[in-house]
Amino acid sequence: MPLEINTPNKLEYQFHPVFGSLFTFKVRCANDAHLTLATNPVEENPTYEVFIGGWSNSKSVIRKNRQKPDVAAAITPCIVDANEFRGFWIQWSNNIISVGREGEAVAFLSYEAQDLFPINFIGICTAWGASGTWLIDEMPAPVPSRITRAPLAVPRVPVIKEVNTPDKLEYQFHPVSGNVFTFKVRSPNDAHLALTSNPVEEDPMYEVFIGGWSNSKSVIRKNRQKPDVAEADTPGILDGGEFRGFWIRWYDNVITVGREGEAAAFLSYDAPDLFPINFVGVCTGWGANGTWLLEESTAPSAPSEPAMGFAPPTSGGGPGCWVPAANGEIPPTSMEGGFDGSEQLYIARAKHEGDLIPGKLHPSHGVCYVAFGGGEHGHNEYEVLCAGGGQWVPVQDGNIPPNAVPGGETAEGEPLFIGRATHDGTVTVGKVQPSHGCCYIPYGGEEVAYKDFEVYVAM
């Protein structure tokens, strides 16, 4: 989930570490959203500054070492807004700094910087009559890798929508895809969510009440009927003065609810008759108003050219193609493989010790994790399976189906297949090694073996 930062009407940068060559953010301000690209978390040369919506929200520029003239400029009337978040990205690669809008691959501002220095920090601030609220993603440092670099995929930028709910038990519905819904909410009590097939309050429906009963208890309710099917004591779980993050997941006929940053759920229910969940409704009531930050995804575009591996399928039934990416990037049409708490994991692979090993892409960690030699190994450069049309099937007695999709191979030439297993509340992608009769998953720094697992097969 993104970090919310407030900047006053003061030209004083707040610095944040960055890894890789891409920084995405949302900002809500009337004008003059300023960013500085720096090696150290201080205002010192060398530096490049990006001013978005300067000159009364009419122009954006890139400036070097705080000196005029600006090295790049573009007319951008009304590019920022004081009442809504606007999303942007800044990328620096091949000595080119480029700036673009969320959801657009083409930059509106760019500069060829022949002397580009290492960029380890980005500072943000607002001024010239404007204060601002920013939503940025923070990521841990990636683990270095020895894989040969390939062209990167265009990243899929998360979209954060702000929704206000009055003190009225009336759901506002939002479409969802996949099996997990993440959000932040600021409310003193009674943040309610509805899981439905259609964007209306109708049966069948599951409701999740967080911080009900004067912010003391949370429950899951089916079809608006008592008794509740699950409940937990959660004193003080919400706050009217700050955003609190949560996730809801529906997978394998189990509904689970957890806090942001925690893999273990505080509320769960085995729903054997679970219906397709296409919408989530949000509302507040019982004396509470709420502000929600809901995470969505931009529409995917066509995948990149394949690297080593499969050609792109001509229909939805093919195995897919492998697309190079790095530092947590999620190429369009990436194949979902599992979950870690609130976070979606994707099917990926990386080279390690001469093997090409399928594993899990953990976007917020910025790496693909693979299992090898008893350990979990992170690689910040990897390939992601995209545009696949396969499915997961259980494996019995180590018998790999003939249509299992190979995801790599050992240095000795043994094929490795794509598998996954449920472990410690997660669904984790790993490698299936036929000669060992098991699936190895990377988790918690270790290589964990499972005899009972699922394998990814072509349909």
Side-chain angles (χ1 to χ4, degrees), residues 102-459:
E102 176 186 61
E104 298 181 4
V106 178
F108 64 81
L109 193 61
S110 64
Y111 173 64
E112 185 173 355
Q114 299 292 348
D115 55 351
L116 190 60
F117 46 86
I119 295 173
N120 302 323
F121 293 87
I122 285 188
I124 59 175
C125 71
T126 42
W128 301 103
S131 57
T133 300
W134 304 67
L135 300 176
I136 67 172
D137 289 318
E138 288 195 325
M139 294 171 57
V143 181
S145 119
R146 293 180 290 178
I147 194 170
T148 303
R149 189 71 182 100
L152 293 181
V154 176
R156 183 168 63 197
V157 182
V159 178
I160 306 298
K161 178 193 299 184
E162 180 176 324
V163 176
N164 294 306
T165 53
D167 177 13
K168 187 178 182 182
L169 289 171
E170 187 173 288
Y171 286 109
Q172 301 179 33
F173 286 91
H174 305 272
V176 293
S177 60
N179 300 87
V180 66
F181 180 72
T182 61
F183 63 96
K184 282 181 176 283
V185 62
R186 183 175 58 201
S187 173
N189 55 272
D190 283 277
H192 291 203
L193 302 99
L195 311 181
T196 63
S197 294
N198 301 302
V200 292
E201 296 184 41
E202 64 180 11
D203 294 344
M205 176 173 73
Y206 281 101
E207 292 177 285
V208 176
F209 304 159
I210 298 177
W213 293 266
S214 300
N215 202 19
S216 67
K217 187 169 71 168
S218 300
V219 307
I220 298 176
R221 182 172 293 176
K222 181 180 179 182
N223 294 339
R224 294 165 290 189
Q225 300 295 316
K226 296 180 180 179
D228 301 316
V229 296
E231 68 174 58
D233 291 327
T234 55
I237 194 168
L238 297 178
D239 193 289
E242 70 176 27
F243 283 103
R244 299 283 176 86
F246 301 92
W247 53 266
I248 299 178
R249 190 173 73 207
W250 48 96
Y251 171 75
D252 198 22
N253 286 327
V254 177
I255 299 172
T256 50
V257 186
R259 293 177 175 85
E260 177 186 45
E262 297 181 5
F266 63 82
L267 194 60
S268 65
Y269 173 64
D270 189 350
D273 55 350
L274 190 59
F275 47 87
I277 295 173
N278 303 319
F279 294 87
V280 170
V282 298
C283 72
T284 42
W286 300 104
N289 300 311
T291 300
W292 305 67
L293 300 177
L294 310 181
E295 185 172 335
E296 301 179 323
S297 298
T298 56
S301 58
S304 310
E305 289 298 314
M308 48 191 167
F310 312 111
T314 56
S315 68
C321 61
W322 294 96
V323 177
N327 302 323
E329 293 170 336
I330 310 169
T333 70
S334 294
M335 298 305 300
E336 299 172 352
F339 309 95
D340 185 357
S342 64
E343 188 162 6
Q344 187 77 60
L345 304 178
Y346 297 86
I347 302 172
R349 67 182 185 183
K351 289 182 178 178
H352 186 84
E353 298 290 341
D355 290 6
L356 180 60
I357 306 174
K360 64 180 180 183
L361 168 57
H362 205 307
S364 69
H365 292 192
V367 298
C368 167
Y369 290 109
V370 298
F372 182 88
E376 178 185 46
H377 307 274
H379 291 265
N380 70 325
E381 295 181 338
Y382 47 83
E383 293 179 329
V384 186
L385 183 62
C386 296
Q391 64 180 7
W392 296 95
V393 300
V395 172
Q396 296 179 346
D397 301 322
N399 296 317
I400 308 301
N403 58 337
V405 175
E409 63 180 12
T410 67
E412 293 75 27
E414 181 181 4
L416 299 175
F417 297 93
I418 304 163
R420 70 179 184 183
T422 300
H423 180 77
D424 198 20
T426 72
V427 179
T428 300
V429 182
K431 67 179 182 183
V432 177
Q433 192 160 354
S435 63
H436 294 195
C438 65
C439 174
Y440 294 102
I441 63 168
Y443 187 86
E446 299 180 347
E447 179 182 54
V448 183
Y450 271 89
K451 292 292 185 181
D452 295 323
F453 58 89
E454 293 180 309
V455 68
Y456 189 72
V457 302
M459 296 175 61

Side-chain angles (χ1 to χ4, degrees), residues 76-114:
T76 56
C78 300
I79 194 168
V80 292
D81 192 286
N83 297 313
E84 71 175 25
F85 283 104
R86 299 283 177 86
F88 302 92
W89 52 265
I90 301 178
Q91 192 168 35
W92 50 97
S93 63
N94 298 322
N95 283 327
I96 296 177
I97 299 172
S98 51
V99 186
R101 293 177 175 87
E102 176 186 61
E104 298 181 4
V106 178
F108 64 81
L109 193 61
S110 64
Y111 173 64
E112 185 173 355
Q114 299 292 348

